[in-house]
Amino acid sequence: MIIRERMEQLEHTLLSPYATLSENSVGRDREEPQCDIRPVFQRDRDRILHCKAFRRLKNKTQVFLTPRGDHYRTRLSHTLEVSQNARTIAKALRLNEDLVEAIALGHDLGHTPYGHAGESVLNRLCEGGFKHNKQSVRIVEKLEKNGEGLNLTWEVRDGILNHQTSTMPHTLEGKIVRFSDKIAYINHDIDDAIRGKILREEDIPFELRATLGDSTTTRLDTLIHNIITNSMDKNDIIMSPEVHEAMLDLRKFMFTHVYRNPIAKGEEDKAKDLLERLFYFYMEHPMEMAPQFTKMIAEGEAKDRVVCDYIAGMTDQYATTKYMEYYVPKAWQVN
């Protein structure tokens, strides 16, 4: 018996009856030979970890644009914190950790440079709109590997697509990532805001601190324990009503005091203007994009969608570099 088959048999013994078993996956869009060592979701996790879009997350904004300091979160560190929270919950509930980790590592691949500021610009400029969760799926299905995509399983793509508040994944593992994303960003954004001196712990309403805890550590402990306790031996991933309401209220508090804070967001208008000018530049000069993208246009893809693909894949630094190249005059010199 090959190693993968043994691991699939172990899932029957070790995992919850509600877990998504690797051997029961709906499968991939393109059939391919099975790996002799890794079950399908572990293989998906590895593909995401090694793809270019994942590596670029280290230089993409989470909340604070180009912060001065080494300890502010980037899109990559956020992704790793989501993965850690999700794996802790999945392990306790005996659900499929490989599936949880694959979804968590891939959920934000489609984020633009400059965080949600960039997403709002592309959503306004692209005729069909732009949402980072849909772009994450587009990356793994089409854009990675020069147009081949990663050919991930349906369950991983479903979890990536439906990790936002307004949608719901079809697997418990996807639901874990959906909760873990919120738990991660609410808490690490508080931590970053305190570091950036735009928020103090005591600014958080007393009733929320009383319910969830008065530090990042205690809040994480409360939220993760609450999910595990309330979801144990159930075919759902849930929180207690009191804690869930407190988490949503804390999220609303963060929108008011951090996500829309003029100090934290003081540079966003510049970032939006930069990306808008890049969009119109590439619409007029598509041959300035990488050959993969000009080929997509030649094959019939809408030009504005392809331009969004190209810009969304940029890191903050690369977008700034291209803007400087196209719009900032260079010093004259004699050859």
Side-chain angles (χ1 to χ4, degrees):
M1 182 180 295
I2 61 177
I3 295 173
R4 188 201 76 252
E5 291 174 345
R6 291 176 181 172
M7 295 176 71
E8 289 172 347
Q9 284 191 353
L10 279 174
E11 288 183 357
H12 284 275
T13 303
L14 300 177
L15 297 187
S16 161
Y18 305 113
T20 305
L21 300 181
S22 300
E23 68 176 14
N24 291 339
S25 170
V26 174
R28 310 180 188 279
D29 282 348
R30 301 189 305 274
E31 289 189 18
E32 57 182 69
Q34 288 267 36
C35 177
D36 62 333
I37 296 176
R38 298 166 297 168
V40 289
F41 302 136
Q42 183 183 348
R43 201 175 184 190
D44 284 358
R45 186 276 312 270
D46 295 349
R47 290 180 181 185
I48 293 169
L49 188 65
H50 290 288
C51 77
K52 291 187 293 184
F54 183 80
R55 296 196 292 275
R56 291 195 297 268
L57 294 177
K58 67 181 179 180
N59 289 317
K60 291 194 175 193
T61 289
Q62 174 63 24
V63 170
F64 295 89
L65 271 66
T66 59
R68 291 192 179 100
D70 295 332
H71 301 122
Y72 292 92
R73 270 67 171 196
T74 65
R75 191 62 61 180
L76 178 60
S77 55
H78 161 72
T79 294
L80 296 176
E81 291 186 37
V82 173
S83 177
Q84 177 58 46
N85 293 340
R87 287 190 60 197
T88 297
I89 296 168
K91 194 179 195 73
L93 296 177
R94 295 188 298 119
L95 297 176
N96 196 313
E97 286 185 67
D98 289 336
L99 176 54
V100 159
E101 189 172 19
I103 296 169
L105 294 180
H107 83 283
D108 269 356
L109 292 178
H111 255 297
T112 61
Y114 307 116
H116 287 286
E119 182 174 15
S120 67
V121 169
L122 296 187
N123 186 50
R124 173 168 54 84
L125 295 175
C126 190
E127 184 176 344
F130 182 97
K131 298 296 181 184
H132 78 270
N133 58 320
K134 294 182 179 179
Q135 187 69 12
S136 297
V137 175
R138 184 166 166 84
I139 285 171
V140 300
E141 288 185 343
K142 184 176 182 65
L143 299 180
E144 270 293 329
K145 297 182 68 176
N146 294 315
E148 294 181 11
L150 302 180
N151 198 28
L152 303 182
T153 56
W154 178 86
E155 291 80 3
V156 172
R157 288 176 286 142
D158 171 75
I160 291 172
L161 179 64
N162 294 302
H163 75 269
Q164 299 204 116
T165 301
S166 59
T167 56
M168 186 64 69
H170 289 79
T171 65
L172 298 190
E173 289 81 1
K175 292 180 180 180
I176 287 176
V177 175
R178 182 174 175 271
F179 265 130
S180 297
D181 183 35
K182 296 175 183 62
I183 291 171
Y185 73 67
I186 291 170
N187 283 285
H188 65 51
D189 291 349
I190 291 173
D191 190 44
D192 282 354
I194 292 173
R195 179 174 290 104
K197 301 187 185 305
I198 64 170
L199 186 70
R200 300 172 303 163
E201 183 68 45
E202 53 266 34
D203 292 332
I204 299 172
F206 172 78
E207 59 273 18
L208 298 182
R209 286 185 281 133
T211 301
L212 299 176
D214 56 4
S215 70
T216 298
T217 300
T218 55
R219 280 188 293 272
L220 285 170
D221 187 69
T222 297
L223 291 165
I224 290 171
H225 272 82
N226 191 265
I227 290 175
I228 292 169
T229 301
N230 286 278
S231 304
M232 188 69 69
D233 299 322
K234 293 189 177 87
N235 191 19
D236 202 1
I237 305 299
I238 55 176
M239 286 182 172
S240 66
E242 179 188 18
V243 169
H244 187 242
E245 183 178 356
M247 183 185 75
L248 295 180
D249 286 344
L250 183 56
R251 182 173 178 266
K252 292 176 185 176
F253 171 86
M254 290 296 289
F255 269 96
T256 301
H257 292 82
V258 176
Y259 303 142
R260 300 190 184 106
N261 185 294
I263 298 174
K265 298 300 183 182
E267 298 296 300
E268 277 197 356
D269 286 343
K270 297 177 186 177
K272 290 178 179 179
D273 181 65
L274 182 155
L275 293 181
E276 183 168 350
R277 295 189 72 175
L278 284 180
F279 176 86
Y280 286 119
F281 177 86
Y282 290 120
M283 287 294 287
E284 294 177 10
H285 306 92
M287 297 308 292
E288 292 294 324
M289 295 189 294
Q292 173 189 347
F293 297 89
T294 55
K295 180 183 177 185
M296 289 166 62
I297 295 173
E299 292 174 345
E301 289 269 2
K303 184 163 63 171
D304 63 336
R305 174 60 60 190
V306 176
V307 169
C308 284
D309 289 336
Y310 189 57
I311 293 175
M314 294 178 174
T315 62
D316 296 14
Q317 293 94 324
Y318 189 72
T320 302
T321 297
K322 300 310 287 185
Y323 179 87
M324 297 281 286
E325 177 183 335
Y326 300 141
Y327 291 109
V328 177
K330 300 175 181 63
W332 180 81
Q333 61 183 9
V334 178
N335 291 327

